[in-house]
Amino acid sequence: MSNFNNRRYMGRRLTNAFTIGLSVVTVVFALTFLVWILWTLFSNGLSYLSMDVFTKNTPPPGNSGGLLNAITGSLYMVTVATLIGTPIGIMAGTYLAEFGKDGWLAPATRFINDILLSAPSIVIGLFVYEVAVHRIGHFSGWAGAIALSLIVLPVVVRTTENMLQLVPSNLREAASALGSPQWKVVTMVVYRAARAGMLTGLLLAVARISGETAPLLFTALNNQFFSADLNGPMASLAVVIFQFAMSPYEDWQHLAWAGALLITLFVLGLNILARFVFRPGPASN
Amino acid sequence: MSSYNDNLEKKFAAGEAVIAPAGFSLQSNTKESHAMSMANKRKVNLGAFLDKIFRNSTMLFAFLVFSTMFAIMATLFIASLPALKVFGSSFFLSDAWNPVTVQFGGLVPIFGTLVTAAIAMLIGIPVSFGIAMFITELSPTWLKRPLGIAIELLAGIPSIIYGMWGLFVFAPFFADHGQPWINDHLGSLPFIGVIFEGPAMGIGMLTAGIILAIMVIPFTSSVMRDVFEVVPPMLKESAYGLGATTWEVLRNIVLPYTKIGVVGGIMLGLGRALGETMAVTFVIGNAHELSASLLMPGNTISSALANEFTEAVGDVYTSSLITLGMTLFVITFIVLAFAKLLLIRLSAREGKQS
């Protein structure tokens, strides 16, 4: 009997040890890829990074050049996209958190917004192509910025709603009791209280669109030359990386690695900034 | 929480003059009170008016977000009509893709999308589960945070970087070390062997699936971790107290309690895997051919779009690609909506029990 129990016990322990072992293996598996990707990126990117990358425009194949037009194009479109997407997102998020207590609009919007959050970005590119490129007849930086703003939007809506809900309602009640109208309560009390969290969401949204390639392919297209005109096709770092990396030319591939390092540093930097600098405190964890 | 509140209250005190309109704050002087009450009334009316504007404009923007989805659906549907008129519903069953003879069918990219996503899930689910298990049940406290950050970094890397790494580093590595082994050991199996037979080129559907798996892991594992953490500690401790092992607690207590959430997390990952574009485009090989072998190049909806859309000439070609995009959107919509519904159900149940 005791022998049987013993065997049973050993069996359970073995199963346990086995699954714990597997669990550790999965963690190592994921971390290996993280290190592998980052190491590839840094070792390749650093060796091709030079001042030229920041001061010269994208070259024709076989010539030396940089990524100046792509970097500025990305900055333009990301800025415009953020400026379009953020106010709309904050307003919509405010409705969800503050006013949408009853009625069908708030739950329905929340549901749709969560789907938009993970919707394939290439489909958003297609949509904007149909709306803003096909009708007008040419690719443009505006179309690219609109496509990116559609990706910013759900992120901002989501974080705004979550952060406003974290604000204790006694703050709202206190302000209302002093007689301030609701718009003042929201804009001057609730927004201030939720500022850090909302900023975090915004940073994460910017980080997300900075690396986006798919929605820009059919909207902003690409531009070999420097352009500050949002009405025309515009280069962006991500699209240039895509084009250069897929090309057979070594110079282009080297520039693609340098660009890839820049874009990753920027995106991860924003992520880290969002996590550490603007951490609103233990409440949000 | 409390320090956060204190901080708020300090800010609140500092901004008090702004928050409380002057007329409302104190009315000690009775002589002035009549004149002031007139002013107050006007102010109240103005306040109510502005409230209405503010409220309605937030509602308008919420409606804008709400209608985006339908705008996308409707736009894509209208744009895909030319192709659907020519090919009808057989578009989805035909593997033709010939720009010269203007014959298009969506079977190959749809098949590729489903297959690569399935591979990603096959690898991603167990790995995500293992990571979530490690973080919630096994990891020492000091390791939890760095590990969480590392997984989040994996999620933060732009997809184009995965693509470049896949094309320049992983594909050659896989062609040298992974695929020959798969060919030798799995390619000779009866029936399923044909799936694993093929030239060791590096690129192909299996490579794309593996890279997708790595990209999906952070999303799926963080959802799993979050739902594992809502299991009431009392349940787990009771089981541990009865002598259950870690695995038994996870298998018999945590998993049954959280299965809806786990499925929701898997669906969320699946939604990502189906729609991912850049990483796949680099390594899929962009071949419009249907092949049983996972080592062969193929195509997915998103990579077909990324590769061909700007070069497509003619209405039918463009429209066929848009039809593919619409298909992708519908598939991901269903998957994500399902994920969302499951997660809503989980949180509703959680609300009831606590």
Side-chain angles (χ1 to χ4, degrees), chain A residues 89-136:
Chain A
I90 288 180
M91 290 298 265
T94 307
Y95 178 77
L96 296 186
E98 300 288 326
F99 303 120
K101 296 283 184 287
D102 35 44
W104 58 273
L105 184 58
T109 306
R110 202 172 287 130
F111 188 79
I112 297 280
N113 189 64
D114 276 359
I115 289 175
L116 283 177
L117 203 59
S118 325
S121 56
I122 193 148
V123 174
I124 291 176
L126 272 185
F127 169 63
V128 176
Y129 170 85
E130 276 303 315
V131 174
V133 176
H134 194 61
R135 298 265 154 78
I136 294 165

Short mmCIF file of all heavy atoms in Angstrom, two decimals, chain A residues 89-136:
data_model
loop_
_atom_site.label_atom_id
_atom_site.label_comp_id
_atom_site.label_asym_id
_atom_site.label_seq_id
_atom_site.Cartn_x
_atom_site.Cartn_y
_atom_site.Cartn_z
N GLY A 89 -9.79 61.18 -29.90
CA GLY A 89 -9.74 60.05 -28.97
C GLY A 89 -10.07 60.47 -27.55
O GLY A 89 -10.79 59.77 -26.84
N ILE A 90 -9.54 61.62 -27.13
CA ILE A 90 -9.80 62.08 -25.76
C ILE A 90 -11.28 62.38 -25.58
O ILE A 90 -11.90 62.00 -24.58
CB ILE A 90 -8.93 63.30 -25.42
CG1 ILE A 90 -7.47 62.86 -25.26
CG2 ILE A 90 -9.41 63.98 -24.14
CD1 ILE A 90 -6.52 63.96 -24.92
N MET A 91 -11.87 63.07 -26.58
CA MET A 91 -13.29 63.38 -26.48
C MET A 91 -14.13 62.10 -26.41
O MET A 91 -15.00 61.95 -25.54
CB MET A 91 -13.74 64.22 -27.69
CG MET A 91 -13.19 65.62 -27.70
SD MET A 91 -13.75 66.58 -26.30
CE MET A 91 -15.16 67.43 -27.00
N ALA A 92 -13.84 61.16 -27.32
CA ALA A 92 -14.61 59.93 -27.33
C ALA A 92 -14.43 59.15 -26.03
O ALA A 92 -15.38 58.64 -25.45
CB ALA A 92 -14.23 59.06 -28.53
N GLY A 93 -13.18 59.09 -25.56
CA GLY A 93 -12.90 58.40 -24.30
C GLY A 93 -13.61 59.06 -23.13
O GLY A 93 -14.09 58.40 -22.20
N THR A 94 -13.69 60.40 -23.18
CA THR A 94 -14.40 61.13 -22.13
C THR A 94 -15.87 60.74 -22.10
O THR A 94 -16.45 60.52 -21.05
CB THR A 94 -14.28 62.65 -22.36
OG1 THR A 94 -12.91 62.98 -22.49
CG2 THR A 94 -14.89 63.42 -21.22
N TYR A 95 -16.44 60.64 -23.30
CA TYR A 95 -17.85 60.23 -23.35
C TYR A 95 -18.02 58.86 -22.70
O TYR A 95 -18.92 58.65 -21.89
CB TYR A 95 -18.36 60.21 -24.79
CG TYR A 95 -19.79 59.75 -24.88
CD1 TYR A 95 -20.82 60.61 -24.53
CD2 TYR A 95 -20.11 58.44 -25.24
CE1 TYR A 95 -22.13 60.19 -24.57
CE2 TYR A 95 -21.42 58.02 -25.28
CZ TYR A 95 -22.43 58.90 -24.94
OH TYR A 95 -23.73 58.47 -24.95
N LEU A 96 -17.14 57.93 -23.07
CA LEU A 96 -17.28 56.57 -22.54
C LEU A 96 -17.17 56.55 -21.03
O LEU A 96 -17.89 55.83 -20.35
CB LEU A 96 -16.20 55.66 -23.14
CG LEU A 96 -16.26 55.42 -24.64
CD1 LEU A 96 -15.23 54.40 -25.05
CD2 LEU A 96 -17.64 54.96 -25.04
N ALA A 97 -16.25 57.35 -20.48
CA ALA A 97 -16.01 57.28 -19.04
C ALA A 97 -16.98 58.15 -18.25
O ALA A 97 -17.38 57.78 -17.13
CB ALA A 97 -14.58 57.70 -18.73
N GLU A 98 -17.36 59.32 -18.79
CA GLU A 98 -18.09 60.28 -17.97
C GLU A 98 -19.59 60.31 -18.25
O GLU A 98 -20.40 60.48 -17.35
CB GLU A 98 -17.52 61.69 -18.21
CG GLU A 98 -16.05 61.82 -17.86
CD GLU A 98 -15.81 61.81 -16.37
OE1 GLU A 98 -16.65 62.32 -15.62
OE2 GLU A 98 -14.77 61.28 -15.94
N PHE A 99 -19.96 60.22 -19.53
CA PHE A 99 -21.36 60.48 -19.87
C PHE A 99 -22.12 59.24 -20.32
O PHE A 99 -23.34 59.23 -20.33
CB PHE A 99 -21.45 61.53 -20.99
CG PHE A 99 -20.77 62.82 -20.63
CD1 PHE A 99 -19.72 63.31 -21.38
CD2 PHE A 99 -21.18 63.53 -19.52
CE1 PHE A 99 -19.10 64.50 -21.04
CE2 PHE A 99 -20.56 64.72 -19.18
CZ PHE A 99 -19.51 65.20 -19.93
N GLY A 100 -21.38 58.22 -20.73
CA GLY A 100 -22.06 57.09 -21.36
C GLY A 100 -22.59 56.06 -20.39
O GLY A 100 -22.55 54.86 -20.67
N LYS A 101 -23.07 56.51 -19.24
CA LYS A 101 -23.51 55.53 -18.24
C LYS A 101 -24.68 54.70 -18.73
O LYS A 101 -24.75 53.51 -18.53
CB LYS A 101 -23.91 56.24 -16.94
CG LYS A 101 -22.75 56.96 -16.26
CD LYS A 101 -21.83 56.00 -15.52
CE LYS A 101 -20.75 56.76 -14.78
NZ LYS A 101 -19.73 57.31 -15.71
N ASP A 102 -25.62 55.36 -19.40
CA ASP A 102 -26.72 54.58 -19.94
C ASP A 102 -26.84 54.85 -21.43
O ASP A 102 -26.26 55.79 -21.96
CB ASP A 102 -28.03 54.89 -19.21
CG ASP A 102 -28.13 56.35 -18.79
OD1 ASP A 102 -27.80 57.24 -19.62
OD2 ASP A 102 -28.51 56.60 -17.65
N GLY A 103 -27.61 54.03 -22.09
CA GLY A 103 -27.72 54.15 -23.54
C GLY A 103 -26.85 53.09 -24.21
O GLY A 103 -25.99 52.48 -23.56
N TRP A 104 -27.08 52.95 -25.50
CA TRP A 104 -26.39 51.87 -26.21
C TRP A 104 -25.05 52.32 -26.77
O TRP A 104 -24.18 51.52 -27.06
CB TRP A 104 -27.26 51.40 -27.37
CG TRP A 104 -27.59 52.52 -28.32
CD1 TRP A 104 -28.63 53.39 -28.20
CD2 TRP A 104 -26.85 52.92 -29.47
NE1 TRP A 104 -28.59 54.31 -29.21
CE2 TRP A 104 -27.52 54.05 -30.02
CE3 TRP A 104 -25.71 52.44 -30.11
CZ2 TRP A 104 -27.06 54.70 -31.16
CZ3 TRP A 104 -25.26 53.10 -31.24
CH2 TRP A 104 -25.93 54.21 -31.76
N LEU A 105 -24.85 53.65 -26.93
CA LEU A 105 -23.69 54.12 -27.68
C LEU A 105 -22.36 53.76 -26.99
O LEU A 105 -21.42 53.32 -27.63
CB LEU A 105 -23.78 55.64 -27.89
CG LEU A 105 -22.67 56.24 -28.75
CD1 LEU A 105 -22.61 55.60 -30.12
CD2 LEU A 105 -22.85 57.75 -28.89
N ALA A 106 -22.32 53.95 -25.67
CA ALA A 106 -21.05 53.71 -24.98
C ALA A 106 -20.59 52.25 -25.05
O ALA A 106 -19.47 52.00 -25.47
CB ALA A 106 -21.14 54.19 -23.53
N PRO A 107 -21.44 51.28 -24.66
CA PRO A 107 -20.96 49.90 -24.78
C PRO A 107 -20.64 49.51 -26.22
O PRO A 107 -19.64 48.82 -26.46
CB PRO A 107 -22.13 49.06 -24.24
CG PRO A 107 -23.20 49.98 -23.88
CD PRO A 107 -22.74 51.38 -23.99
N ALA A 108 -21.45 49.97 -27.16
CA ALA A 108 -21.19 49.62 -28.56
C ALA A 108 -19.87 50.21 -29.02
O ALA A 108 -19.06 49.55 -29.67
CB ALA A 108 -22.33 50.11 -29.44
N THR A 109 -19.62 51.48 -28.66
CA THR A 109 -18.37 52.11 -29.07
C THR A 109 -17.17 51.43 -28.42
O THR A 109 -16.14 51.22 -29.06
CB THR A 109 -18.38 53.60 -28.67
OG1 THR A 109 -19.53 54.21 -29.22
CG2 THR A 109 -17.15 54.31 -29.17
N ARG A 110 -17.34 51.05 -27.17
CA ARG A 110 -16.25 50.37 -26.46
C ARG A 110 -15.89 49.08 -27.18
O ARG A 110 -14.71 48.76 -27.38
CB ARG A 110 -16.72 50.08 -25.03
CG ARG A 110 -15.60 49.88 -24.04
CD ARG A 110 -16.16 49.81 -22.64
NE ARG A 110 -16.60 51.11 -22.15
CZ ARG A 110 -17.80 51.33 -21.59
NH1 ARG A 110 -18.67 50.35 -21.48
NH2 ARG A 110 -18.10 52.52 -21.16
N PHE A 111 -16.91 48.36 -27.57
CA PHE A 111 -16.73 47.09 -28.26
C PHE A 111 -16.02 47.30 -29.60
O PHE A 111 -15.00 46.67 -29.90
CB PHE A 111 -18.11 46.47 -28.48
CG PHE A 111 -18.08 45.08 -29.02
CD1 PHE A 111 -17.83 44.01 -28.18
CD2 PHE A 111 -18.31 44.84 -30.37
CE1 PHE A 111 -17.80 42.73 -28.67
CE2 PHE A 111 -18.28 43.55 -30.87
CZ PHE A 111 -18.03 42.49 -30.02
N ILE A 112 -16.53 48.22 -30.39
CA ILE A 112 -15.96 48.52 -31.70
C ILE A 112 -14.52 49.02 -31.54
O ILE A 112 -13.62 48.63 -32.28
CB ILE A 112 -16.79 49.60 -32.42
CG1 ILE A 112 -18.21 49.10 -32.68
CG2 ILE A 112 -16.12 50.06 -33.69
CD1 ILE A 112 -18.37 48.21 -33.85
N ASN A 113 -14.31 49.85 -30.53
CA ASN A 113 -12.99 50.42 -30.33
C ASN A 113 -11.96 49.33 -30.02
O ASN A 113 -10.84 49.36 -30.51
CB ASN A 113 -13.03 51.43 -29.19
CG ASN A 113 -11.75 52.20 -29.06
OD1 ASN A 113 -11.39 52.93 -29.95
ND2 ASN A 113 -11.04 52.00 -27.97
N ASP A 114 -12.36 48.35 -29.21
CA ASP A 114 -11.44 47.27 -28.89
C ASP A 114 -11.10 46.43 -30.11
O ASP A 114 -10.00 45.90 -30.22
CB ASP A 114 -12.03 46.38 -27.79
CG ASP A 114 -11.76 46.97 -26.42
OD1 ASP A 114 -11.12 48.04 -26.36
OD2 ASP A 114 -12.19 46.38 -25.42
N ILE A 115 -12.04 46.34 -31.03
CA ILE A 115 -11.74 45.61 -32.26
C ILE A 115 -10.83 46.44 -33.16
O ILE A 115 -9.87 45.92 -33.73
CB ILE A 115 -13.05 45.22 -32.97
CG1 ILE A 115 -13.72 44.12 -32.15
CG2 ILE A 115 -12.78 44.74 -34.38
CD1 ILE A 115 -15.05 43.71 -32.64
N LEU A 116 -11.10 47.73 -33.24
CA LEU A 116 -10.22 48.61 -34.03
C LEU A 116 -8.79 48.57 -33.51
O LEU A 116 -7.83 48.68 -34.26
CB LEU A 116 -10.72 50.05 -33.99
CG LEU A 116 -11.93 50.40 -34.85
CD1 LEU A 116 -12.31 51.84 -34.63
CD2 LEU A 116 -11.62 50.16 -36.32
N LEU A 117 -8.67 48.39 -32.19
CA LEU A 117 -7.36 48.36 -31.54
C LEU A 117 -6.49 47.26 -32.12
O LEU A 117 -5.28 47.40 -32.22
CB LEU A 117 -7.58 48.14 -30.04
CG LEU A 117 -6.54 48.57 -29.05
CD1 LEU A 117 -6.27 50.05 -29.18
CD2 LEU A 117 -7.02 48.26 -27.65
N SER A 118 -7.09 46.14 -32.49
CA SER A 118 -6.30 45.04 -33.04
C SER A 118 -6.61 44.78 -34.50
O SER A 118 -6.22 43.75 -35.03
CB SER A 118 -6.55 43.74 -32.28
OG SER A 118 -6.76 43.96 -30.92
N ALA A 119 -7.33 45.68 -35.15
CA ALA A 119 -7.65 45.46 -36.55
C ALA A 119 -6.38 45.49 -37.38
O ALA A 119 -5.44 46.21 -37.05
CB ALA A 119 -8.62 46.53 -37.04
N PRO A 120 -6.32 44.70 -38.45
CA PRO A 120 -5.11 44.66 -39.28
C PRO A 120 -4.84 46.04 -39.86
O PRO A 120 -5.72 46.64 -40.49
CB PRO A 120 -5.47 43.68 -40.39
CG PRO A 120 -6.69 42.99 -39.97
CD PRO A 120 -7.38 43.82 -38.95
N SER A 121 -3.62 46.54 -39.65
CA SER A 121 -3.35 47.91 -40.06
C SER A 121 -3.33 48.05 -41.58
O SER A 121 -3.59 49.13 -42.11
CB SER A 121 -2.03 48.38 -39.47
OG SER A 121 -0.99 47.52 -39.84
N ILE A 122 -3.10 46.95 -42.28
CA ILE A 122 -3.07 47.06 -43.74
C ILE A 122 -4.47 47.34 -44.29
O ILE A 122 -4.64 48.02 -45.30
CB ILE A 122 -2.45 45.79 -44.38
CG1 ILE A 122 -2.14 46.04 -45.84
CG2 ILE A 122 -3.34 44.57 -44.25
CD1 ILE A 122 -0.95 45.31 -46.37
N VAL A 123 -5.48 46.84 -43.58
CA VAL A 123 -6.86 47.10 -44.00
C VAL A 123 -7.19 48.58 -43.81
O VAL A 123 -7.89 49.19 -44.62
CB VAL A 123 -7.83 46.19 -43.23
CG1 VAL A 123 -9.26 46.55 -43.56
CG2 VAL A 123 -7.59 44.74 -43.57
N ILE A 124 -6.65 49.15 -42.73
CA ILE A 124 -6.85 50.59 -42.52
C ILE A 124 -6.19 51.37 -43.65
O ILE A 124 -6.74 52.35 -44.16
CB ILE A 124 -6.30 50.99 -41.14
CG1 ILE A 124 -7.21 50.37 -40.08
CG2 ILE A 124 -6.22 52.50 -40.99
CD1 ILE A 124 -6.79 50.56 -38.68
N GLY A 125 -5.02 50.88 -44.09
CA GLY A 125 -4.37 51.49 -45.25
C GLY A 125 -5.26 51.43 -46.49
O GLY A 125 -5.39 52.42 -47.22
N LEU A 126 -5.88 50.28 -46.70
CA LEU A 126 -6.78 50.12 -47.85
C LEU A 126 -7.94 51.09 -47.77
O LEU A 126 -8.32 51.72 -48.77
CB LEU A 126 -7.36 48.70 -47.88
CG LEU A 126 -6.60 47.60 -48.59
CD1 LEU A 126 -7.43 46.33 -48.57
CD2 LEU A 126 -6.30 47.99 -50.01
N PHE A 127 -8.52 51.20 -46.59
CA PHE A 127 -9.66 52.10 -46.38
C PHE A 127 -9.28 53.53 -46.72
O PHE A 127 -9.97 54.21 -47.49
CB PHE A 127 -10.12 51.98 -44.92
CG PHE A 127 -11.10 53.03 -44.49
CD1 PHE A 127 -12.34 53.12 -45.08
CD2 PHE A 127 -10.77 53.92 -43.48
CE1 PHE A 127 -13.25 54.08 -44.68
CE2 PHE A 127 -11.67 54.88 -43.07
CZ PHE A 127 -12.91 54.98 -43.68
N VAL A 128 -8.15 53.98 -46.19
CA VAL A 128 -7.74 55.35 -46.44
C VAL A 128 -7.37 55.53 -47.92
O VAL A 128 -7.62 56.59 -48.50
CB VAL A 128 -6.58 55.77 -45.51
CG1 VAL A 128 -6.08 57.15 -45.84
CG2 VAL A 128 -7.03 55.69 -44.08
N TYR A 129 -6.81 54.48 -48.52
CA TYR A 129 -6.54 54.56 -49.96
C TYR A 129 -7.83 54.86 -50.72
O TYR A 129 -7.88 55.75 -51.57
CB TYR A 129 -5.93 53.25 -50.46
CG TYR A 129 -5.84 53.17 -51.97
CD1 TYR A 129 -4.77 53.72 -52.64
CD2 TYR A 129 -6.86 52.57 -52.71
CE1 TYR A 129 -4.70 53.68 -54.02
CE2 TYR A 129 -6.80 52.52 -54.09
CZ TYR A 129 -5.71 53.08 -54.74
OH TYR A 129 -5.65 53.03 -56.11
N GLU A 130 -8.88 54.11 -50.41
CA GLU A 130 -10.15 54.31 -51.10
C GLU A 130 -10.71 55.71 -50.85
O GLU A 130 -11.25 56.34 -51.74
CB GLU A 130 -11.18 53.27 -50.62
CG GLU A 130 -11.07 51.95 -51.35
CD GLU A 130 -11.22 52.11 -52.86
OE1 GLU A 130 -12.11 52.85 -53.29
OE2 GLU A 130 -10.41 51.51 -53.59
N VAL A 131 -10.59 56.17 -49.60
CA VAL A 131 -11.23 57.43 -49.24
C VAL A 131 -10.39 58.64 -49.66
O VAL A 131 -10.92 59.61 -50.20
CB VAL A 131 -11.50 57.47 -47.71
CG1 VAL A 131 -12.03 58.82 -47.30
CG2 VAL A 131 -12.48 56.39 -47.34
N ALA A 132 -9.08 58.58 -49.42
CA ALA A 132 -8.28 59.79 -49.56
C ALA A 132 -7.26 59.74 -50.69
O ALA A 132 -6.61 60.74 -50.97
CB ALA A 132 -7.55 60.08 -48.25
N VAL A 133 -7.06 58.60 -51.32
CA VAL A 133 -6.09 58.56 -52.42
C VAL A 133 -6.80 58.35 -53.74
O VAL A 133 -6.63 59.10 -54.69
CB VAL A 133 -5.05 57.45 -52.19
CG1 VAL A 133 -4.10 57.36 -53.38
CG2 VAL A 133 -4.27 57.71 -50.92
N HIS A 134 -7.65 57.34 -53.79
CA HIS A 134 -8.36 56.99 -55.01
C HIS A 134 -9.22 58.15 -55.50
O HIS A 134 -9.20 58.50 -56.67
CB HIS A 134 -9.22 55.76 -54.74
CG HIS A 134 -9.73 55.11 -55.98
ND1 HIS A 134 -8.90 54.59 -56.94
CD2 HIS A 134 -10.98 54.89 -56.43
CE1 HIS A 134 -9.62 54.10 -57.93
NE2 HIS A 134 -10.90 54.26 -57.64
N ARG A 135 -9.95 58.74 -54.58
CA ARG A 135 -10.86 59.84 -54.95
C ARG A 135 -10.07 61.04 -55.45
O ARG A 135 -10.43 61.67 -56.43
CB ARG A 135 -11.70 60.28 -53.74
CG ARG A 135 -12.59 59.24 -53.19
CD ARG A 135 -14.01 59.34 -53.75
NE ARG A 135 -14.68 58.04 -53.71
CZ ARG A 135 -15.19 57.52 -52.62
NH1 ARG A 135 -15.17 58.19 -51.49
NH2 ARG A 135 -15.74 56.33 -52.63
N ILE A 136 -8.99 61.36 -54.72
CA ILE A 136 -8.25 62.58 -55.04
C ILE A 136 -7.32 62.35 -56.22
O ILE A 136 -7.04 63.27 -56.98
CB ILE A 136 -7.47 63.05 -53.78
CG1 ILE A 136 -8.48 63.49 -52.72
CG2 ILE A 136 -6.51 64.18 -54.10
CD1 ILE A 136 -7.91 63.65 -51.36
#
